[in-house]
């Protein structure tokens, strides 16, 4: 069933799949980007903040380290000055009394205890350098700038020295942070005289110098009074004036405050602050935001293009696969649908699948209907089979109750269907004898599978409704249904078969009762059957029943089966002769041999032959009798010649005037004539004498010539010269010479008789011999006599037909018998020019 054409596609369905996939790819790319964009900037900002924090910390650490290093440089300078030889030399003669209250010695220029060389170079000069005695009292003051010595120092230095004993001390003096660096001072003898102290105000100059010119992006450092949250000094007093509060500074700066670990001695809570201008941070933040924007754009582009590309490639691939699926389905279903070359394959395929499902539904419905029809047909077929089956077909359930019963069963057993259904099969159909056997068979069928058809057949005795008992052949076939087991029983009334078997058995007796031999041999020549009359034959062959025939006969059996034709032969025993007819039964591969005792027939034939010989002899005698006069004359001639020669010899002997030569000649003639006479008599005897027929190969020309010489006298007497037209070559034939001579003699004699009836000058007798077709020898006797009337022609060869007064009418009959005995023919015909022509055809031995 062809699929319907898809409906006209809607706009969305007409959009090609690649375009649609690009649109979906765009949408998905944007969606994913939008989702990720929610998360990414936050992460980026937090990374930025962390990074900023780290960098601020790092920067703060660096500024502090630079500050510390700077302080360390001052400390080193203090140590250098305190341990300088110039100071030691200066102090050598000096002695500071404890109770001295003199004002400390003031210097405005370089004091004598300081080396004149430039010490400060990159360092900011301290405001003062003090020499203190061991009690902390200031003994000498060197003022390096304009700044006066802070008043707090004048009285409290001892306190600073005695308590801390640290080299560097950070403290506030009059609201200004100061760095006080003290170092032990000794005189040249090594006596500790006191201390050398550097007093350095930590002001903007100091702080700026401490950073050694490293101040990226306007970063400031400052000293923070942590308790009061105000700055005491900064590296740029304009941007961050002293005494500014932390909160105020934080509006412009990001402040990182660190404790001074090096200067723990200070009682003040001073902290080192690193101030990064907010403008710098904001600029950095702006840069990061710009970067972030660019990144977002790149991400958006990447997502959109990747998704679009992936969707496009996937859709292109999918499109191809769908096209292939469609084509395959199209080919598989032999459908012309769907049209798949354009439009969105997914929708096309969806349409197509809808239609395909519909088609499947329709087909299923069709199949269901077809199945129903087939079931119906099958049911009808089964019904027809059941109704027309020649066998009784009965179906029983597991309990043996009849559930199906066909019309043949109705006819066979006499119970109608309604009557039989629901009855127990074994009880209804079998008598007491067969019932247990059937139950056993049923059990047997259940227990064994895969039986040969023959093994499934059983013969039992069934009972008809009227009580008549008859034999049945039965086969049981179990039917294993889904939930139950049933048996179909095929039954066949075999009464007829039994009767036919009996008949066959009785028929078979025919053969055994036959007085003639009847045998059956198989292809290999084994005697399968031989009736009682075959014993003589079996003993002749020297074999028994169930044995094989002699080799010659086995070959004949094979030949006959091969050719499929009957073969007849004779078997001659010592006292019997059998005619055997061998008939092949090709289909079964048997040869039946039917024998017939023909001993009596053969004996009769032999006797008939003897009679015939006798007859031939008599006929010959009769012929010879007729020729006796001629023969006497024939004999007379040599005998007269003998007498003449004998008389002549006597006279010559008496006269004695002649020589012995003449006498010898005469005696020679006597001998020759006597031989001739003897020859004639010998031939006569041969003709007249009784002898058993002997066949030998002889030249027919010789035989004819002999006969001619034999009748020479008779012919001469009739005034006929026998013309001998013999073939040049020899014509060998296997004949009984005496008999063939008898035939020729008879023909010539008849011819001479016929010639006597016409004037002497018209008489002619010709004897011809020739070869015919290489296989036959033809002998013709032609005379110019009166001939034979057409009416008489048919009777010529009848016994006792004669037109002669003294004739016997047996000559031609015997002649034909002899010639046919030689497998030849003899015929007579009228010559056109008058006269008769007798023709004899004899088989030649030339060709053999
Ligand atoms: P028979 O010579 O004793 O009569 P045959 O059987 O030899 O018996 O011949 C039968 C008859 O056939 C003869 O009587 C004669 O009438 C006829 N017949 C045979 N040969 C010839 C012949 N050559 N010409 C004419 N008639 C012939």
């Amino acid at each position: 069933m062809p699929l319907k054409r898809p409906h006209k596609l809607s706009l969305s369905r007409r959009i090609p799949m690649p375009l649609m996939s690009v649109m979906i790819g765009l949408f998905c790319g944007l969606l994913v980007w939008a989702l990720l964009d929610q998360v990414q900037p936050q992460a980026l900002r937090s990374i930025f903040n962390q990074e900023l924090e780290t960098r601020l910390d790092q920067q703060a650490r660096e500024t502090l380290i630079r500050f510390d290093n700077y302080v360390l440089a001052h400390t080193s300078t203090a140590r250098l000055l305190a341990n300088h030889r110039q100071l030691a030399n200066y102090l050598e003669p000096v002695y500071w009394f404890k109770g001295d209250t003199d004002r400390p010695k003031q210097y405005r220029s370089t004091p004598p205890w300081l080396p004149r060389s430039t010490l400060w170079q990159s360092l900011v000069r301290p405001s003062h350098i003090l020499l203190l005695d061991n009690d902390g009292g200031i003994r000498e003051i060197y003022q390096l700038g304009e700044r006066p010595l802070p008043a707090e120092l004048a009285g409290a230095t001892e306190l600073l020295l005695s308590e801390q004993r640290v080299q560097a001390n950070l403290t506030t003096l009059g609201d200004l942070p100061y760095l006080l660096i003290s170092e032990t001072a000794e005189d040249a003898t090594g006596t500790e005289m006191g201390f050398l102290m550097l007093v350095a105000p930590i002001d903007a100059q100091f702080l700026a110098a401490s950073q050694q010119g490293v101040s990226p992006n306007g970063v400031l450092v400052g000293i923070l009074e942590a308790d009061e949250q105000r700055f005491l000094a900064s590296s740029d007093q304009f941007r961050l004036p002293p005494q500014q509060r932390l909160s105020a500074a934080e509006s412009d700066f990001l402040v990182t405050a660190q404790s001074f670990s090096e200067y723990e001695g200070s009682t003040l809570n001073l902290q080192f602050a690193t101030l990064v201008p907010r403008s710098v941070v904001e600029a950095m933040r702006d840069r990061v935001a710009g970067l972030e924007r660019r990144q977002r754009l790149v991400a958006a582009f990447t997502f959109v293009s990747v998704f679009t590309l992936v969707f496009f490639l996937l859709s292109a691939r999918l499109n191809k696969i769908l096209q292939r699926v469609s084509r395959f389905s199209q080919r598989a279903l032999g459908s012309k649908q769907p049209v798949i070359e354009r439009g969105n394959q997914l929708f096309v395929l969806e349409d197509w699948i809808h239609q395909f499902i519909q088609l499947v539904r329709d087909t299923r419905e069709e199949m269901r209907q077809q199945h129903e029809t087939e079931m119906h047909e099958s049911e009808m077929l089964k019904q027809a089979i059941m109704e027309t089956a020649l066998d009784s077909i009965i179906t029983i359930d597991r309990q043996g109750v009849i559930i199906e019963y066909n019309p043949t069963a109705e006819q066979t057993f006499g119970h109608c269907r309604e009557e039989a259904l629901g009855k127990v099969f074994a009880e209804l159909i079998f008598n007491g004898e067969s019932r247990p056997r059937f139950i056993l068979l049923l059990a047997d069928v259940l227990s064994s599978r895969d039986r040969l058809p023959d093994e499934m057949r059983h013969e039992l005795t069934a009972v008809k409704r009227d009580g008549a008992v008859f034999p049945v052949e039965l086969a049981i076939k179990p039917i294993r249904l889904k939930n139950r087991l049933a048996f179909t029983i095929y039954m066949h009334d075999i009464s007829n078969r039994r009767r036919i078997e009996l008949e066959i058995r009785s028929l078979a007796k025919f053969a055994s009762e036959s007085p003639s031999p009847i045998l059956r041999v198989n292809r290999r020549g084994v005697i399968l059957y031989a009736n009682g009359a075959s014993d003589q034959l079996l003993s002749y062959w020297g074999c028994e029943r169930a044995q094989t025939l002699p080799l010659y006969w086995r070959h004949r059996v094979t030949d006959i089966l091969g050719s499929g034709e009957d073969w007849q032969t004779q078997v001659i025993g010592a006292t019997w002769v059998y005619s055997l007819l061998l008939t092949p039964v090709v289909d079964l591969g048997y040869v039946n041999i039917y024998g017939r005792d023909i001993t009596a027939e053969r004996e009769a034939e032999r006797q008939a032959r003897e009679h015939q010989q006798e007859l031939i002899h008599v006929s010959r005698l009769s012929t010879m009798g007729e020729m006796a006069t001629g023969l006497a004359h024939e004999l007379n001639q040599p005998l007269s010649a003998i007498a003449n020669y004998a008389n002549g010899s006597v006279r010559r002997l008496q006269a004695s005037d002649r020589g012995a030569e003449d006498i010898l000649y005469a005696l020679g003639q006597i001998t020759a004539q006597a031989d001739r006479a003897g020859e004639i008599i010998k031939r006569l005897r041969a003709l007249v004498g009784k002898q058993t027929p002997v066949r030998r190969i002889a030249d027919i020309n010789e035989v004819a010539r002999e006969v001619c010489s034999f009748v020479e006298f008779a012919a001469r007497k009739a005034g006929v010269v026998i013309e001998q037209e013999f073939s040049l070559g020899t014509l060998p034939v296997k004949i009984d010479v005496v008999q063939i001579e008898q035939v020729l003699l008879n023909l010539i004699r008849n011819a001479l008789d016929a010639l006597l009836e016409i004037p002497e000058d018209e008489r002619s007798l010709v004897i011809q011999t020739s070869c015919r077709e290489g296989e036959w020898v033809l002998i013709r006797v032609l005379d110019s006599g009166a001939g034979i009337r057409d009416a008489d022609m048919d009777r010529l060869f009848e016994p006792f037909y004669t037109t002669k007064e003294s004739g016997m009418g047996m000559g031609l009959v015997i002649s034909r018998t002899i010639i046919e005995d030689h497998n030849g023919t003899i015929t007579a015909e009228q010559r056109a020019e008058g006269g008769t022509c007798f023709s004899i055809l004899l088989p030649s031995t030339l060709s053999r």
Side-chain angles (χ1 to χ4, degrees):
M1 183 176 142
L3 286 166
K4 290 174 204 157
R5 285 189 77 82
H7 304 298
K8 201 175 176 202
L9 297 172
S10 65
L11 180 65
S12 66
R13 295 178 174 216
R14 273 180 294 174
I15 298 172
M17 189 183 265
L19 184 60
M20 192 164 205
S21 67
V22 166
M23 284 159 65
I24 293 173
L26 274 171
F27 174 74
C28 288
L30 284 171
L31 187 72
V32 172
W33 174 76
L35 284 173
L36 287 179
D37 199 47
Q38 294 297 313
V39 183
Q40 202 181 20
Q42 276 180 16
L44 209 65
R45 246 167 266 143
S46 106
I47 289 168
F48 173 76
N49 287 337
Q50 272 179 15
E51 182 65 18
L52 186 67
E53 214 167 290
T54 312
R55 287 202 50 189
L56 286 174
D57 276 355
Q58 196 180 345
Q59 201 158 33
R61 268 200 304 279
E62 282 172 6
T63 50
L64 182 57
I65 287 166
R66 279 198 290 272
F67 179 80
D68 285 344
N69 287 340
Y70 195 67
V71 171
L72 209 60
H74 279 87
T75 312
S76 301
T77 309
R79 190 173 298 135
L80 188 72
L81 294 176
N83 293 311
H84 203 275
R85 190 171 47 82
Q86 209 161 337
L87 179 63
N89 289 339
Y90 174 76
L91 290 177
E92 177 70 48
V94 174
Y95 186 78
W96 291 320
F97 294 104
K98 260 193 172 180
D100 278 354
T101 54
D102 294 344
R103 282 176 57 85
K105 204 172 179 180
Q106 293 269 354
Y107 298 94
R108 294 295 288 186
S109 58
T110 309
W113 36 271
L114 277 185
R116 292 202 177 273
S117 56
T118 310
L119 291 167
W120 311 107
Q121 292 176 1
S122 62
L123 298 178
V124 172
R125 293 179 177 211
S127 62
H128 298 85
I129 301 172
L130 306 179
L131 280 181
L132 305 176
D133 58 24
N134 282 330
D135 300 324
I138 302 170
R139 294 295 179 169
E140 293 186 16
I141 301 168
Y142 172 39
Q143 186 172 348
L144 284 93
E146 296 304 319
R147 194 186 289 266
L149 187 70
E152 290 91 335
L153 262 184
T157 46
E158 189 186 3
L159 190 98
L160 291 169
L161 292 171
S162 61
E163 282 186 5
Q164 302 303 324
R165 288 292 175 193
V166 288
Q167 287 191 336
N169 192 7
L170 197 66
T171 187
T172 49
L173 301 170
D175 263 0
L176 192 69
Y178 271 88
L179 181 68
L180 303 178
I181 302 164
S182 53
E183 187 64 42
T184 312
E186 293 174 351
D187 63 10
T189 61
T191 309
E192 273 191 24
M193 291 294 291
F195 301 92
L196 181 137
M197 178 181 279
L198 295 188
V199 179
I202 301 175
D203 52 8
Q205 195 189 1
F206 187 91
L207 286 171
S210 75
Q211 296 307 306
Q212 294 149 30
V214 182
S215 174
N217 303 321
V219 174
L220 300 183
V221 292
I223 304 296
L224 179 70
E225 167 48 71
D227 293 338
E228 294 175 12
Q229 293 284 297
R230 62 186 173 86
F231 286 96
L232 298 180
S234 78
S235 57
D236 188 338
Q237 59 188 6
F238 300 107
R239 286 162 67 200
L240 182 69
Q243 304 307 320
Q244 177 142 16
R245 299 205 64 79
L246 176 64
S247 54
E250 275 180 334
S251 61
D252 294 331
F253 295 97
L254 279 172
V255 181
T256 312
Q258 301 167 88
S259 302
F260 290 105
S261 54
E262 297 287 327
Y263 323 108
E264 278 176 339
S266 172
T267 52
L268 298 168
N269 191 7
L270 292 182
Q271 289 185 336
F272 185 81
T274 308
L275 299 100
V276 178
R278 280 195 185 274
S279 61
V280 172
V281 175
E282 285 311 315
M284 206 184 301
R285 206 183 291 279
D286 285 349
R287 273 208 309 282
V288 170
L291 191 74
E292 181 193 317
R293 264 197 305 281
R294 275 205 303 283
Q295 286 233 330
R296 283 169 72 187
L297 273 174
V298 169
F301 177 75
T302 308
F303 276 118
V304 167
S305 48
V306 165
F307 269 85
T308 308
L309 188 68
V310 166
F311 271 76
F312 176 78
L313 290 176
L314 278 177
S315 76
R317 185 82 195 139
L318 189 66
N319 225 21
K320 269 189 186 167
I321 290 168
L322 289 175
Q323 275 182 350
R324 258 186 236 155
V325 168
S326 299
R327 287 205 187 99
F328 173 76
S329 315
Q330 205 175 342
R331 278 203 303 279
L333 294 168
S335 163
K336 297 242 183 287
Q337 296 297 336
V339 181
I340 52 166
E341 298 307 332
R342 276 196 308 233
N344 191 322
Q345 292 303 315
L346 269 177
F347 292 119
V348 171
L349 201 71
E350 186 192 331
D351 276 350
W352 185 85
I353 285 167
H354 282 313
Q355 289 177 42
F356 177 71
I357 290 167
Q358 188 56 43
L359 174 68
V360 169
R361 280 200 196 115
D362 292 349
T363 311
R364 204 167 58 189
E365 179 60 23
E366 209 172 278
M367 280 172 74
R368 195 185 59 75
Q369 284 175 4
Q370 196 178 341
H371 180 67
E372 270 178 15
T373 314
E374 278 173 4
M375 286 287 286
H376 183 65
E377 281 174 1
S378 160
E379 196 58 37
M380 282 172 65
L381 202 66
K382 190 186 122 199
Q383 196 66 29
I385 290 170
M386 290 285 279
E387 281 172 11
T388 56
L390 295 174
D391 285 346
S392 303
I393 303 174
I394 300 165
T395 307
I396 59 171
D397 64 12
R398 183 82 200 252
Q399 282 70 42
V401 175
I402 298 172
I403 52 177
E404 197 53 71
Y405 195 80
N406 79 335
T408 310
E410 287 182 330
Q411 286 165 18
T412 310
F413 299 104
H415 308 283
C416 69
R417 188 168 183 272
E418 288 70 28
E419 207 180 331
L421 293 181
K423 295 265 169 58
V424 176
F425 173 75
E427 286 171 9
L428 187 74
I429 300 297
F430 295 117
N431 59 12
E433 181 203 342
S434 292
R435 210 168 291 146
R437 281 189 61 204
F438 171 74
I439 290 163
L440 277 177
L441 281 178
L442 208 60
D444 190 36
V445 164
L446 264 184
S447 64
S448 54
R449 295 183 174 197
D450 302 333
R451 286 170 163 247
L452 294 172
D454 277 354
E455 290 173 345
M456 288 160 60
R457 294 176 198 279
H458 307 280
E459 289 184 11
L460 295 177
T461 307
V463 187
K464 289 193 183 191
R465 192 171 194 268
D466 58 11
V469 174
F470 65 105
V472 286
E473 188 180 56
L474 160 152
I476 306 171
K477 178 76 188 160
I479 309 165
R480 294 173 206 280
L481 300 170
K482 197 175 176 188
N483 298 320
R484 63 201 174 99
L485 178 71
F487 301 91
T488 297
I489 301 159
Y490 300 87
M491 294 175 89
H492 189 66
D493 182 353
I494 53 169
S495 311
N496 265 343
R497 197 168 82 193
R498 284 272 167 86
R499 191 171 47 73
I500 290 166
E501 278 171 7
L502 276 174
E503 278 179 13
I504 289 171
R505 236 173 273 150
S506 78
L507 268 176
K509 276 189 182 170
F510 274 126
S512 61
E513 286 169 357
S514 166
S516 298
I518 297 174
L519 303 95
R520 169 169 282 185
V521 294
N522 68 8
R523 197 178 287 281
R524 289 183 291 115
V526 177
I527 301 164
L528 302 175
Y529 173 80
N531 68 353
S534 310
D535 289 349
Q536 268 187 326
L537 267 177
L538 292 178
S539 66
Y540 169 76
W541 282 326
C543 58
E544 295 288 325
R545 290 172 179 80
Q547 291 182 346
T548 47
L549 290 173
L551 185 64
Y552 170 81
W553 290 91
R554 286 209 299 273
H555 286 162
R556 293 291 76 75
V557 166
T558 312
D559 294 347
I560 291 162
L561 277 172
S563 68
E565 284 174 10
D566 292 357
W567 182 63
Q568 198 158 12
T569 186
Q570 285 183 10
V571 180
I572 301 167
T575 55
W576 47 262
V577 181
Y578 277 115
S579 163
L580 295 187
L581 174 67
L582 282 77
T583 309
V585 185
V586 179
D587 296 342
L588 302 175
Y590 298 141
V591 170
N592 292 340
I593 303 174
Y594 304 100
R596 191 161 59 87
D597 187 352
I598 53 166
T599 315
E601 280 174 37
R602 286 287 168 268
E603 180 56 24
E605 277 172 20
R606 191 187 60 75
Q607 284 178 5
R609 245 191 332 273
E610 271 180 15
H611 287 147
Q612 188 183 331
Q613 292 299 329
E614 200 66 36
L615 195 66
I616 291 167
H617 185 231
V618 171
S619 162
R620 241 177 6 243
L621 281 180
S622 143
T623 309
M624 293 318 293
E626 283 172 30
M627 294 176 74
T629 324
L631 280 169
H633 183 76
E634 186 81 349
L635 279 173
N636 200 34
Q637 264 197 334
L639 289 173
S640 306
I642 290 166
N644 285 341
Y645 282 118
N647 287 334
S649 298
V650 169
R651 277 198 306 274
R652 278 184 181 87
L653 281 173
Q654 283 170 350
S656 311
D657 56 343
R658 295 294 258 289
E661 250 181 58
D662 289 345
I663 295 167
L664 279 174
Y665 172 75
L667 285 172
Q669 284 298 313
I670 289 168
T671 311
Q673 290 299 327
D675 283 348
R676 193 182 157 209
E679 190 64 28
I680 291 167
I681 289 167
K682 207 168 94 187
R683 283 208 307 263
L684 196 64
R685 281 188 66 193
L687 268 171
V688 175
K690 218 176 180 183
Q691 52 194 306
T692 46
V694 178
R695 295 205 178 167
R696 64 179 174 85
I697 293 174
D699 179 10
I700 205 72
N701 291 339
E702 284 298 318
V703 177
R705 206 170 281 129
E706 178 90 9
V707 172
C708 286
S709 70
F710 215 62
V711 293
E712 197 184 339
F713 172 74
R716 218 181 301 130
K717 194 178 160 197
V720 179
V721 177
I722 301 171
E723 295 171 48
Q724 299 177 7
E725 295 179 3
F726 294 164
S727 71
L728 289 175
T730 56
L731 294 171
V733 279
K734 188 169 186 183
I735 50 170
D736 184 321
V737 175
V738 173
Q739 287 184 353
I740 297 300
E741 279 179 349
Q742 183 179 346
V743 173
L744 290 176
L745 203 62
N746 191 41
L747 293 182
I748 293 168
R749 188 180 56 82
N750 278 347
L752 289 174
D753 284 347
L755 287 172
L756 285 175
E757 293 177 22
I758 59 164
E760 196 172 339
D761 56 342
E762 290 175 14
R763 292 172 191 167
S764 130
L765 178 59
V766 184
I767 298 179
Q768 295 175 339
T769 62
S770 60
C771 186
R772 272 280 178 283
E773 297 161 7
E775 293 183 356
W776 299 93
V777 165
L778 175 68
I779 311 138
R780 302 215 300 170
V781 179
L782 305 113
D783 67 65
S784 59
I788 305 161
R789 285 178 301 161
D790 286 344
D792 297 331
M793 195 59 100
D794 296 336
R795 304 182 56 205
L796 267 187
F797 294 97
E798 286 179 8
F800 308 113
Y801 170 73
T802 180
T803 55
K804 299 171 193 166
E805 277 182 18
S806 56
M808 273 176 62
M810 287 301 288
L812 287 177
V813 178
I814 288 168
S815 295
R816 171 172 272 185
T817 307
I818 291 170
I819 294 300
E820 286 181 352
D821 213 28
H822 281 79
N823 297 323
T825 56
I826 177 165
T827 50
E829 60 188 322
Q830 282 282 39
R831 293 180 71 198
E833 58 270 38
T836 315
C837 169
F838 278 89
S839 304
I840 297 168
L841 272 175
L842 286 172
S844 168
T845 55
L846 243 188
S847 57
R848 288 168 200 179

